[in-house]
């Protein structure tokens, strides 16, 4: 693949942005869609296996989240090297990220062999059938952690060199294979719940192996470089702290919603999962921003990067307005698809106006998050998210509990969280301090 010139990067067309964003969307959606298939297959085994999958799957979801953090961090670093014309250095970043991913994956796999049962009992609230089944599933499924994290690192470095075809094939193919294997192993092969875990391991190991094979075909040096790995760990640490702030906020929101009753927490879950879905779609745009912004700055084209940032902000806003219109149109229909309970539907309508109103702002925020991650300005994003969570979201939702403001108060808090972040990223964009040129930041 030829290196991008500053002009080509600065004038990236909507078609080029879509060419990066749409495959990224498919890759992002592949794992959640497979989890739905897995859940449907295991669900027919009965209540205990389904509950065990829920318990064990929570741990693997956290592992996948670590992989996403690693992928986001590496994309911008690789894109800078690639934009500067140093493909060898870009590939070296991919090699070091793969070593980091392999190390963490092996730690997870080994750790779960010794501590998986205890962790399952803790999550399940004690011993019993569910805890025993979850522990067994977790010990098997954890063997796929090295492949899962190698695939995440591979996604990061391939996006950084703007290779959009191989990540799509390397993730989608194994996930489709796993979706076919899962029911066969669970039922005809008679493995039951462990068959689901085996299907996971096969898919994740194949996917990780394909990304490693891509590195081998590039004939890059595979020697580990501790200095680079340490730099990547610092970047991942900042993204991880940012992610913890998100998780703490959403867990607290659910906890407060539960205190308003079953109908309120049920409606909150519906709206929140739909919000996560729109966030997934917008993340694809952010990934395109990471690759193009990193390449522009790596090529020394600060003006082009700023022009691209404005374009991504506009595209994010347009997508957000489109989502707002669709969500508003589905107000009387969508909640009923998730629950036939009239009280749950009524509570959903309390959150719905806030859900609709925040979409245009969220669209801009997600796009500019991608811009700043691509620029390597992760520390600013970390601090901004922590401030928005501790200074806006968390106080708002607990205030809504103290004054019995109900679900509307919680979603007003989420809207405030988005607005604080919007103000912060726009302020940073205007300052220009994020647009630091060069192969490294």
């Amino acid at each position: 693949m030829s290196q991008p010139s500053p002009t080509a990067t600065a004038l990236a067309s909507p078609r080029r942005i879509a060419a990066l964003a749409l495959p990224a969307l498919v890759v992002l959606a592949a794992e959640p869609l497979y989890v739905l298939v897995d859940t449907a297959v295991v669900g027919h085994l009965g209540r205990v296996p389904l509950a065990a999958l829920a318990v064990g799957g929570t741990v693997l979801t956290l592992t996948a989240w670590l992989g996403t953090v690693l992928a986001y961090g590496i994309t911008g670093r690789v894109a800078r090297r690639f934009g500067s014309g140093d493909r060898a250095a870009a590939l070296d970043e991919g090699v070091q990220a793969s070593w980091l991913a392999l190390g963490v994956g092996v730690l997870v796999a080994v750790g779960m062999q010794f501590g998986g049962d205890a962790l399952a009992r803790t999550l399940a609230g004690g011993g019993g059938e569910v805890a025993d089944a979850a522990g067994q599933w977790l010990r098997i499924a954890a063997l796929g952690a090295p492949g899962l994290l190698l695939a995440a690192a591979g996604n990061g470095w391939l996006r950084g060199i703007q290779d959009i075809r191989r990540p799509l094939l390397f993730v989608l193919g194994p996930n489709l294979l796993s979706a076919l294997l899962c029911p066969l192993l669970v039922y005809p092969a008679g493995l039951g719940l462990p068959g689901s875990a085996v299907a996971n391991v096969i898919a994740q190991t194949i996917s990780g192996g394909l990304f490693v094979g891509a590195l081998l075909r590039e004939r890059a040096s595979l020697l580990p470089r501790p200095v680079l790995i340490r730099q990547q760990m610092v970047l991942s640490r900042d993204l991880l702290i940012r992610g913890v702030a998100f998780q703490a906020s959403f867990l607290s929101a659910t906890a407060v919603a539960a205190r308003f009753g079953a109908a309120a927490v049920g409606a909150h879950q519906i709206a929140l999962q739909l919000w996560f879905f729109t966030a997934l779609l917008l993340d694809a745009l952010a990934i395109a921003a990471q690759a193009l912004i990193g390449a522009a700055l790596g090529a020394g084209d600060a003006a082009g990067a700023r022009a691209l940032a404005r374009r991504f902000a506009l595209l994010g806003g347009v997508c957000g307005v489109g989502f707002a219109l669709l969500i508003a149109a589905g107000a009387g229909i969508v909640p009923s698809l998730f629950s036939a309970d009239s009280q749950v539907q009524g509570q959903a309508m309390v959150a719905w106006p806030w859900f609709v109103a925040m979409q245009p702002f969220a669209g801009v925020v997600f796009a500019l998050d991608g811009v700043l991650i691509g620029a390597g300005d992760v520390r600013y994003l970390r601090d901004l998210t922590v401030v928005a969570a501790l200074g806006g979201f968390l106080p708002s939702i607990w205030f809504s509990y103290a004054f019995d403001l109900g679900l509307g108060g919680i979603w007003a808090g989420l809207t405030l969280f988005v607005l604080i972040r919007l103000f912060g990223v726009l302020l940073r964009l205007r300052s220009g301090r994020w647009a630091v040129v060069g192969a490294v930041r």
Side-chain angles (χ1 to χ4, degrees):
M1 184 173 292
S2 61
Q3 72 180 64
S5 69
T7 302
T9 306
L11 299 178
S13 66
R15 178 177 294 182
R16 178 59 182 158
I17 291 172
L20 287 168
L22 292 178
L25 175 60
V26 175
V27 171
L28 287 169
E31 188 69 22
L33 288 175
Y34 170 71
V35 170
L36 287 176
V37 172
D38 200 18
T39 303
V41 171
V42 171
H44 288 87
L45 290 172
R47 244 181 309 179
V48 170
L50 184 59
L53 178 64
V55 171
T58 299
V59 179
L60 266 295
T61 297
L62 288 174
T63 305
W65 176 51
L66 287 176
T68 300
V69 167
L70 176 62
Y72 279 17
I74 196 61
T75 296
R77 288 182 63 90
V78 171
R80 275 182 174 268
R81 304 281 195 181
F82 182 64
S84 72
D86 193 347
R87 186 184 177 94
L91 293 173
D92 194 30
E93 291 280 357
V95 170
Q96 305 316 314
S98 297
W99 278 116
L100 178 58
L102 180 62
V104 175
V106 169
L107 283 175
V108 171
V110 173
M112 287 304 104
Q113 305 315 307
F114 294 98
D117 288 332
L119 183 57
R121 285 193 297 271
T122 300
L123 293 173
E129 286 183 288
V130 171
D132 292 343
Q136 182 187 29
W137 185 92
L138 191 53
R139 288 197 309 275
I140 298 170
L143 297 176
L148 174 65
L149 293 177
L150 279 168
N155 265 301
W157 71 263
L158 280 170
R159 288 169 186 162
I161 63 172
Q162 299 183 30
D163 186 333
I164 58 178
R165 183 178 63 87
R166 285 186 289 179
L168 186 63
L169 297 175
F170 293 172
V171 171
L172 198 57
N175 270 277
L176 289 174
L177 173 64
S178 188
L180 293 173
L181 281 177
C182 184
L184 294 176
L185 293 175
V186 169
Y187 295 109
L191 295 181
L193 179 63
S196 158
V198 171
N200 269 278
V201 173
I202 291 172
Q204 290 159 358
T205 302
I206 291 174
S207 184
L210 289 171
F211 282 103
V212 171
L215 271 180
L216 293 175
R217 283 191 293 275
E218 296 282 354
R219 301 186 182 278
S221 170
L222 299 182
L223 291 175
R225 294 179 57 191
V227 172
L228 266 185
I229 293 174
R230 188 160 52 248
Q231 290 172 359
Q232 292 177 358
M233 288 177 67
V234 169
L235 187 63
S236 297
R237 178 203 64 194
D238 290 338
L239 287 170
L240 189 63
I241 292 171
R242 176 174 175 264
V244 168
F246 279 118
Q247 297 299 325
S249 296
F250 292 127
L251 285 172
S252 295
T254 300
V256 172
R259 286 162 170 77
F260 292 129
V265 75
H268 174 71
Q269 179 69 4
I270 291 170
L272 190 62
Q273 291 306 313
L274 289 171
W275 192 81
F276 285 155
F277 179 71
T278 61
L280 180 73
L281 298 177
L282 292 168
D283 258 349
L285 184 62
I287 286 170
Q290 291 169 29
L292 291 174
I293 292 292
L297 293 175
D301 188 8
R306 287 192 288 269
L308 267 175
R310 291 190 292 271
R311 183 171 298 166
F312 275 108
L314 178 61
L315 284 172
V318 169
C319 290
V321 170
F323 290 152
L325 293 174
L326 287 173
I327 294 165
I333 303 169
V334 175
S336 64
L337 299 177
F338 291 88
S339 175
D341 190 309
S342 60
Q343 291 187 4
V344 171
Q345 294 174 19
Q347 284 292 313
M349 287 302 96
V350 174
W352 218 257
W354 296 103
F355 183 28
V356 171
M358 76 169 68
Q359 290 302 314
F361 307 115
V364 177
V365 168
F366 275 88
L368 292 183
D369 278 355
V371 167
L372 295 184
I373 291 173
D377 201 13
V378 176
R379 184 172 296 179
Y380 179 82
L381 274 182
R382 177 201 68 188
D383 294 343
L384 174 61
T385 304
V386 170
V387 168
L390 297 181
F393 195 8
L394 289 173
S396 295
I397 59 177
W398 289 107
F399 182 86
S400 74
Y401 172 62
F403 290 90
D404 199 26
L405 300 179
L407 205 55
I410 293 174
W411 278 78
L414 179 54
T415 303
L416 178 61
F417 181 56
V418 170
L419 290 175
I420 292 173
R421 290 170 57 215
L422 175 65
F423 177 78
V425 292
L426 287 176
L427 197 65
R428 190 64 166 181
L429 187 69
R430 183 179 176 84
S431 75
R433 283 179 288 178
W434 58 276
V436 179
V437 299
V440 292
R441 181 184 173 102

